[in-house]
Amino acid sequence: MKNIQISPSILSADFSQLGTEIKRLEEGGADMIHVDVMDGHFVPNLTIGPEVIKNIRSYTKKVFDVHLMISPVDKYISEYAKAGADIITFHPEATENTQKTIDLIKNEGKKVGISLKPKTSIDVVKNFLNKIDLVLIMSVEPGFSGQKFMPEVLSKVKEIKKITKEKNIKIDIEIDGGINFDNCTLAKKAGANILVSGSTIFKENKGDLKKNIEILRKN
Ligand code: DX5
Ligand code: ZN
C-alpha cells in the first residue's frame, strides 16, 4: 500500500485568517492543502477564486491540491495554475472534452486529477487512467463540508485500485467528503491513499489539527 497522505480541506478553516490556518495545517503535519473551488453553478455554493490562492500561496511550500467544482472549467485552468495550484482536479461533467482539459492542465506543468461525483460511473475515467496523476472519488455530493460519508462509493475506489494494479498504472486515489476517524480505515482498505478532510480535522478534539491529522493517518 502507498503511504497515506492527508489533504485537509480549508473549506472548514477560519476564512478571516486563511494564511495562519495554512501555517497551522503545515505545523500539524498536513501533506498537502486541499482547496475547494466552487462557482455557485456547477455546485450550489461559492468559495475561492484564483486571487485568494495567490494570496495564501506564500504561507506554505506544501502542495496545493485544487479541486475545481466549476463549469465550464477550461477557461479558468490557466488562472488557477498561475495562482499556485500544483494538482488541478476537475469533474468530467464540467468539460466537453476531457482529453483537452487534461492537456490544458499538463501544458501548465501541473498534475492532473479527475473527480467523480457519487453517482458518476468510473467508466468516464477508465480510458484516461494512464494519462492522469490522480482520481478523486467524492464520498458526498460536492458543494458543502460537514456532510455524511456515502459508503457505497467505496466500490469505485476498489475498482479503480484493481484496474490500475492490473495495468501497472501509478496513480493516486483520493477520497473526499465526510471522512472521519472510523470510515478512514474503510477508505484506506478500499485503496485510497490520499484522504481529504474538512470538518474532522478542524472540529474534532477542539480543533487540535495535529492530533486529528495523526489519527486519520494511523487509524
Ligand atoms: C465538498 C468538498 C470537500 C469537503 C470536505 O464539495 O469537495 O472537500 O469540503 O469536507 P468534509 O470533510 O467536512 O466533508
Ligand atoms: Zn474537495
Side-chain angles (χ1 to χ4, degrees):
M1 193 197 275
K2 279 193 184 183
N3 278 346
I4 299 299
Q5 300 201 68
I6 307 297
S7 188
S9 164
I10 55 170
L11 200 54
S12 301
D14 177 350
F15 270 49
S16 72
Q17 38 191 333
L18 271 186
T20 317
E21 292 283 73
I22 283 165
K23 274 247 166 301
R24 286 209 305 135
L25 286 172
E26 179 175 301
E27 284 156 15
D31 298 290
M32 44 183 106
I33 307 291
H34 188 80
V35 183
D36 285 306
V37 175
M38 306 184 185
D39 65 352
H41 166 71
F42 185 72
V43 289
N45 194 7
L46 268 171
T47 58
I48 294 172
E51 197 56 34
V52 175
I53 297 185
K54 207 188 288 172
N55 276 271
I56 56 179
R57 186 59 276 191
S58 60
Y59 285 84
T60 182
K61 289 202 165 56
K62 293 280 171 198
V63 164
F64 271 9
D65 166 31
V66 175
H67 179 191
L68 297 180
M69 286 160 274
I70 59 178
S71 166
V73 66
D74 286 1
K75 64 176 172 179
Y76 294 107
I77 282 169
S78 174
E79 273 189 75
Y80 279 97
K82 292 188 173 58
D86 298 296
I87 305 169
I88 298 184
T89 297
F90 67 97
H91 286 257
E93 293 89 347
T95 177
E96 279 171 7
N97 186 334
T98 299
Q99 184 61 56
K100 185 176 161 218
T101 306
I102 293 172
D103 293 341
L104 283 173
I105 299 172
K106 282 193 175 167
N107 288 341
E108 294 287 343
K110 305 300 177 183
K111 286 193 170 178
V112 185
I114 291 186
S115 178
L116 305 180
K117 294 198 273 188
K119 290 190 195 78
T120 304
S121 153
I122 65 160
D123 291 346
V124 305
V125 79
K126 268 185 185 158
N127 291 338
F128 299 102
L129 290 171
N130 56 356
K131 297 175 177 155
I132 61 176
D133 302 283
L134 174 154
V135 176
L136 188 165
I137 302 291
M138 295 245 26
S139 37
V140 298
E141 284 300 333
F144 300 93
S145 56
Q147 302 182 76
K148 202 168 167 289
F149 179 76
M150 299 167 76
E152 60 269 33
V153 308
L154 289 173
S155 59
K156 290 199 284 188
V157 175
K158 282 185 197 148
E159 187 77 359
I160 300 273
K161 179 76 190 172
K162 186 167 167 261
I163 298 170
T164 51
K165 205 173 162 195
E166 276 167 10
K167 297 192 173 162
N168 200 20
I169 296 172
K170 302 259 172 293
I171 200 165
D172 286 312
I173 305 179
E174 180 172 37
I175 189 156
D176 181 9
I179 293 290
N180 61 30
F181 297 144
D182 296 321
N183 60 34
C184 66
T185 316
L186 302 174
K188 291 177 201 174
K189 250 196 209 136
N193 69 296
I194 304 178
L195 308 183
V196 176
S197 162
S199 22
T200 295
I201 284 179
F202 280 94
K203 307 230 162 88
E204 290 298 325
N205 294 306
K206 298 195 179 100
D208 185 337
L209 305 179
K210 187 165 198 247
K211 188 171 185 179
N212 296 337
I213 288 172
E214 232 167 66
I215 302 175
L216 285 175
R217 201 192 301 282
K218 296 214 174 107
N219 266 13

